[in-house]
C-alpha cells in the first residue's frame, strides 16, 4: 500500500466510525441559485451554523453536485486548515471519490455528516491570508514579475531556503504554475506540480500533511492546499488559543441570512453598489480616496473582512494572527489607515446594507 492510500484510508476509517452514529437530517433544498447556495454553505460553515450549512449543501447537491464536492474540499483548506488537519483530511478523502461516498451510504448522508463536522471544527484562514499576501502585498510587486522569469532550480532554492515566508510562497506558486487558472496579480508561468510537491517533501513537510495537500490539489487545482502544506512547517501550534470573532447581527431575507449576499453573488454586488451611492459618509469617503471604478471592489473587499470572512472558534497561533493583519491592512490596495477607516464605515452601515439587500432580493423576485 502506498503512503497516499494509507493516509486516505486512515481518514476514511475515521469517518466510517463517525457516520455510523449519524442520523442525516431530511433532504430539504432551498429554492436558491447555485451561487447563493455556495455562498451560504461556506459562510455558514465559518460561523458554525450547521442547519443553514446543511440546507445550502442540499441545495447544491440537487442543482450542482460537482460544485458541492469541489466547494467542500476548498472550504476545508481555506477555512479549517491547520486548526484541524484531521477534518481537512476527511473532507479531502471524501470529496475526491464518489465510490467512497456510496460505500458510506450515499451522497446526502455523507454530505450532511461532513458539513456538520466542518461547521463544528476549529478554524484557520492562514493559507488564504498567505495567498492574498503573495498576490497583493506591495513589497512583493517586483518579486511577482522577477520570479516568473527565474529558473526552476532557482525557484526551488527560494521555496526551500528563503527565510521570508512570502517569498517562499510566491516561489511555490510559480513552481506549481500560474498559467491555468491564472491568479489575477501573478504572471503566467507553466508549472510542474509533481516536482513542486517533491520540493514540499524536501522542505520537511510531514507525510500525512503532504498527502492531504496532494489530494486536495488534485481535486481543486487551487494553491491553498500547497500553501497549507508550506505553513504546516511553521504555523502548526497545537497550544494556540482559539476565540470566536465578534459577528454582527444578521437578518433573514427570503429564507437566507443577509451575509450570504456579498461580493461573490450578483445580488450582493448590486446591494454593495447601491450602498456606496446611498450612504452619505461612505460615498464621501470613496470620492475622496479612490477612482469610481474601484468603489465596488474596495467596498466588497472591506465587507468580506468585517462580515463574510469571520469565524467561529478561530485558531490563533502567532503566524496566523500576523497573516490576518497583513491581509487586512496591507493588501487592500490603499494605505493601512485608510483600510481601517473603510472597515469602520462598512461596519457602521451594515443595517443600511441589510435593508438594501432585502430590497434587491424583492426586486430580483419581481423581475
Amino acid at each position: 500500500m502506498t503512503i497516499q492510500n494509507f493516509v486516505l484510508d486512515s481518514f476514511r476509517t475515521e469517518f466510517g466510525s463517525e457516520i455510523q452514529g449519524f442520523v442525516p437530517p431530511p433532504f430539504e433544498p432551498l429554492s436558491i441559485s447555485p451561487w447563493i447556495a455556495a455562498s451560504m454553505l461556506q459562510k455558514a460553515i465559518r460561523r458554525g451554523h450547521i442547519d443553514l450549512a446543511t440546507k445550502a449543501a442540499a441545495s447544491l447537491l440537487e442543482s450542482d453536485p460537482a460544485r458541492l464536492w469541489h466547494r467542500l474540499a476548498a472550504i476545508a483548506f481555506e477555512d479549517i486548515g491547520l486548526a484541524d488537519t484531521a477534518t481537512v483530511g476527511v473532507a479531502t478523502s471524501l470529496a475526491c471519490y464518489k465510490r467512497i461516498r456510496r460505500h458510506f451510504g450515499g451522497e446526502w448522508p455523507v454530505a450532511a455528516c461532513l458539513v456538520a463536522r466542518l461547521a463544528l471544527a476549529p478554524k484557520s484562514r492562514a493559507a488564504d491570508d498567505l495567498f492574498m499576501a503573495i498576490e497583493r502585498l506591495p513589497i512583493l510587486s517586483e518579486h511577482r514579475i522577477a520570479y516568473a522569469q527565474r529558473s526552476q532550480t532557482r525557484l526551488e532554492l527560494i521555496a526551500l531556503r528563503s527565510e521570508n515566508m512570502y517569498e517562499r510562497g510566491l516561489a511555490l506558486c510559480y513552481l506549481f504554475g500560474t498559467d491555468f487558472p491564472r491568479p489575477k496579480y501573478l504572471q503566467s508561468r507553466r508549472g510542474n506540480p509533481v516536482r513542486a510537491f517533491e520540493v514540499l517533501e524536501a522542505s520537511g513537510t510531514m507525510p500525512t500533511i503532504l498527502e492531504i495537500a496532494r489530494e486536495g490539489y488534485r481535486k481543486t487545482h487551487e494553491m491553498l492546499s500547497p500553501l497549507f502544506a508550506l505553513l504546516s512547517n511553521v504555523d502548526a501550534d497545537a497550544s494556540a488559543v482559539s476565540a470566536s470573532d465578534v459577528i454582527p447581527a444578521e437578518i433573514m431575507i427570503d429564507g437566507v441570512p443577509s451575509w450570504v449576499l456579498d461580493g461573490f453573488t450578483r445580488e450582493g454586488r448590486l446591494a454593495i453598489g447601491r450602498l456606496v451611492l446611498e450612504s452619505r459618509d461612505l460615498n464621501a469617503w470613496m470620492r475622496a480616496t479612490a477612482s469610481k471604478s474601484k468603489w465596488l471592489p474596495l467596498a466588497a473587499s472591506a465587507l468580506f473582512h468585517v462580515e463574510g470572512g469571520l469565524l467561529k472558534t478561530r485558531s490563533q497561533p502567532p503566524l496566523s494572527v500576523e497573516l490576518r493583519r497583513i491581509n487586512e491592512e496591507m493588501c487592500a490596495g490603499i494605505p493601512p489607515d485608510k483600510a481601517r477607516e473603510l472597515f469602520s464605515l462598512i461596519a457602521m452601515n451594515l443595517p443600511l446594507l441589510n435593508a438594501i439587500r432585502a430590497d434587491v432580493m424583492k426586486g430580483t423576485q419581481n423581475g
Side-chain angles (χ1 to χ4, degrees):
M1 177 182 291
T2 66
I3 179 65
Q4 181 182 25
N5 288 337
F6 175 79
V7 168
L8 296 178
D9 283 349
S10 68
F11 287 122
R12 291 167 188 149
T13 299
E14 177 183 339
F15 182 78
S17 300
E18 183 176 344
I19 200 170
Q20 278 185 350
F22 179 78
V23 178
F27 182 73
E28 296 177 343
L30 303 173
S31 297
I32 54 178
S33 72
W35 297 274
I36 288 182
S39 177
M40 181 171 166
L41 172 70
Q42 185 157 16
K43 293 170 184 64
I45 286 174
R46 287 174 183 160
R47 292 166 178 243
H49 289 329
I50 296 176
D51 181 57
L52 292 174
T54 301
K55 289 178 179 178
S59 305
L60 276 179
L61 189 58
E62 180 180 63
S63 63
D64 194 346
R67 183 194 291 261
L68 170 66
W69 294 110
H70 181 281
R71 196 71 242 137
L72 289 174
I75 288 169
F77 289 100
E78 184 174 343
D79 297 313
I80 310 301
L82 293 171
D84 189 344
T85 56
T87 291
V88 178
V90 167
T92 305
S93 68
L94 294 171
C96 295
Y97 297 97
K98 189 170 185 176
R99 62 178 178 82
I100 299 298
R101 300 195 293 271
R102 284 199 300 266
H103 172 75
F104 287 125
E107 299 287 282
W108 177 238
V110 171
C113 187
L114 178 58
V115 164
R117 177 162 179 166
L118 289 167
L120 291 172
K123 297 172 176 65
S124 169
R125 288 189 40 77
D128 191 61
D129 286 334
L130 176 57
F131 187 62
M132 291 298 101
I134 289 167
E135 278 203 309
R136 303 181 185 187
L137 198 59
I139 61 173
L140 292 179
S141 57
E142 294 183 3
H143 294 72
R144 284 189 281 270
I145 298 172
Y147 279 22
Q149 308 303 320
R150 295 283 172 85
S151 67
Q152 176 84 8
T153 300
R154 181 58 180 160
L155 286 178
E156 290 178 4
L157 287 173
I158 295 170
L160 284 168
R161 299 181 182 177
S162 175
E163 295 183 358
N164 186 299
M165 173 59 62
Y166 307 109
E167 292 180 8
R168 290 179 67 188
L170 177 60
L172 195 65
C173 285
Y174 282 129
L175 287 173
F176 272 91
T178 54
D179 51 335
F180 182 81
R182 178 182 170 183
K184 182 177 179 180
Y185 297 92
L186 302 184
Q187 304 294 305
S188 179
R189 178 187 172 104
R190 185 177 296 276
N192 184 342
V194 173
R195 177 58 187 158
F197 273 113
E198 292 174 354
V199 172
L200 278 171
E201 183 176 13
S203 72
T205 305
M206 292 177 57
T208 297
I209 296 291
L210 191 67
E211 295 311 320
I212 294 172
R214 199 191 308 273
E215 195 69 7
Y217 186 80
R218 188 183 73 81
K219 176 65 177 178
T220 67
H221 297 288
E222 296 176 2
M223 273 304 300
L224 294 187
S225 49
L227 293 178
F228 157 85
L230 178 66
L231 283 169
S232 70
N233 298 320
V234 291
D235 199 35
D237 184 357
S239 65
V241 297
S242 296
S244 295
D245 296 332
V246 178
I247 298 177
E250 65 189 49
I251 65 171
M252 296 300 291
I253 303 172
D254 295 326
V256 301
S258 50
W259 37 261
V260 168
L261 306 172
D262 65 355
F264 295 96
T265 65
R266 180 177 64 88
E267 296 87 346
R269 289 190 296 273
L270 288 172
I272 296 167
R274 279 185 51 183
L275 176 70
V276 174
L277 296 176
E278 295 180 22
S279 167
R280 185 174 300 176
D281 51 359
L282 181 57
N283 186 264
W285 187 94
M286 288 290 184
R287 289 180 180 277
T289 307
S291 62
K292 194 169 185 178
S293 63
K294 295 182 179 179
W295 291 3
L296 180 57
L298 280 172
S301 176
L303 180 63
F304 176 85
H305 289 298
V306 304
E307 184 188 57
L310 300 182
L311 304 178
K312 182 178 180 181
T313 319
R314 183 191 291 267
S315 178
Q316 300 185 90
L319 181 56
S320 290
V321 173
E322 177 64 6
L323 287 169
R324 183 185 184 189
R325 184 190 70 80
I326 290 293
N327 185 10
E328 290 180 350
E329 297 186 0
M330 306 297 293
C331 300
I334 53 179
D337 60 328
K338 290 295 183 181
R340 289 189 289 270
E341 288 177 5
L342 180 56
F343 293 171
S344 178
L345 284 169
I346 292 291
M348 288 189 299
N349 278 281
L350 282 178
L352 173 58
L353 176 60
N354 285 339
I356 295 172
R357 284 164 161 166
D359 190 57
V360 165
M361 289 294 282
K362 185 189 303 182
T364 302
Q365 290 179 346
N366 292 339

